[in-house]
Amino acid sequence: MRIITGKYKGRHFEIPRSFKARPTTDFAKENIFNVLNGYIDFENATALDLFSGTGSITLELLSRGCSQVISVELDRDHHRFIQECLKKLSTVNCIPIRGDVFRFVKSCKQQFDFIFADPPYALKDLPEIPDLIFEKKLLKDNGVFVFEHGKDHDFSQHPHFVEHRSYGSVNFTLFRVKETADE
């Protein structure tokens, strides 16, 4: 696993072979971040990485200058791996949380400029995640939510849908909170 760009560009981390998590491929990660550069300035942004897995997205967000990243991962070994990677980078801008994403989202009181979620593609509750993010108002105005999922899901009718991108078997749907003119 490598960091694509930013202050930690080119850093590599060896993922243990025993891991069940599949990190977002470098090809897909590089392409989706190229798209995101048109939507958000990561410098000093606050970010939330749900179903963090190997921490690939968390590390990329930190490298791109996010002021704070909260990384939520349930698996004990994956969480420990993320903590080890953060130690190697000597960064203090990340809060790695070992816990259930659904419980975290339901109790979270913070809003974020950017949210990334990469749940297991076979997760039974996967289709409910975008609604949950917006019900809990976790995104700031003009915040961006990127949802990685398999090809079997279509979120184009969601009220906060912005666009869909596909890179091989990896699908990303982008959502956004639209600024309201009345506020």
Side-chain angles (χ1 to χ4, degrees):
M1 171 178 83
R2 77 178 171 97
I3 298 175
I4 306 293
T5 197
K7 63 184 168 187
Y8 305 123
K9 179 182 179 176
R11 294 284 302 264
H12 284 266
F13 298 90
E14 285 300 316
I15 300 168
R17 293 187 189 275
S18 61
F19 274 22
K20 301 175 292 260
R22 39 142 191 69
T24 303
T25 65
D26 285 351
F27 175 76
K29 184 168 62 171
E30 186 168 7
N31 279 288
I32 196 60
F33 272 97
N34 285 340
V35 170
L36 288 170
N37 285 333
Y39 286 98
I40 186 168
D41 179 5
F42 289 103
E43 192 71 33
N44 296 316
T46 57
L48 175 62
D49 182 11
L50 300 171
F51 304 96
S52 299
T54 61
S56 173
I57 299 299
T58 292
L59 299 175
E60 194 69 40
L61 291 167
L62 291 166
S63 185
R64 290 168 186 261
C66 285
S67 62
Q68 182 191 50
V69 179
I70 296 178
S71 171
V72 183
E73 173 55 45
L74 182 60
D75 184 277
R76 179 188 64 230
D77 295 333
H78 296 180
H79 179 260
R80 189 177 306 122
F81 178 75
I82 293 167
Q83 288 179 306
E84 289 169 9
C85 292
L86 293 170
K87 272 187 204 155
K88 288 177 184 173
L89 297 179
S90 301
T91 183
V92 294
N93 297 6
C94 184
I95 301 169
I97 295 173
R98 181 172 169 245
D100 178 79
V101 165
F102 292 96
R103 273 198 219 137
F104 174 84
V105 167
K106 288 175 183 172
S107 66
C108 183
K109 303 292 183 224
Q110 185 174 347
Q111 286 190 312
F112 301 90
D113 298 298
F114 180 75
I115 299 174
F116 187 93
D118 179 11
Y121 289 1
L123 183 70
K124 178 178 66 80
D125 299 329
L126 183 145
E128 300 166 23
I129 294 170
D131 287 336
L132 188 58
I133 296 295
F134 289 101
E135 283 170 17
K136 295 299 177 181
K137 298 180 175 25
L138 295 184
L139 275 179
K140 295 178 182 176
D141 278 351
N142 285 321
V144 177
F145 169 42
V146 174
F147 193 42
E148 183 175 335
H149 56 86
K151 65 180 180 341
D152 298 335
H153 296 282
D154 177 6
F155 297 97
S156 61
Q157 299 307 307
H158 193 279
H160 296 284
F161 173 83
V162 175
E163 69 175 287
H164 173 260
R165 295 289 178 123
S166 176
Y167 305 103
S169 63
V170 180
N171 288 266
F172 296 103
T173 299
L174 281 68
F175 302 88
R176 189 166 210 178
V177 172
K178 278 101 176 164
E179 236 179 316
T180 53
D182 298 343
E183 290 183 29

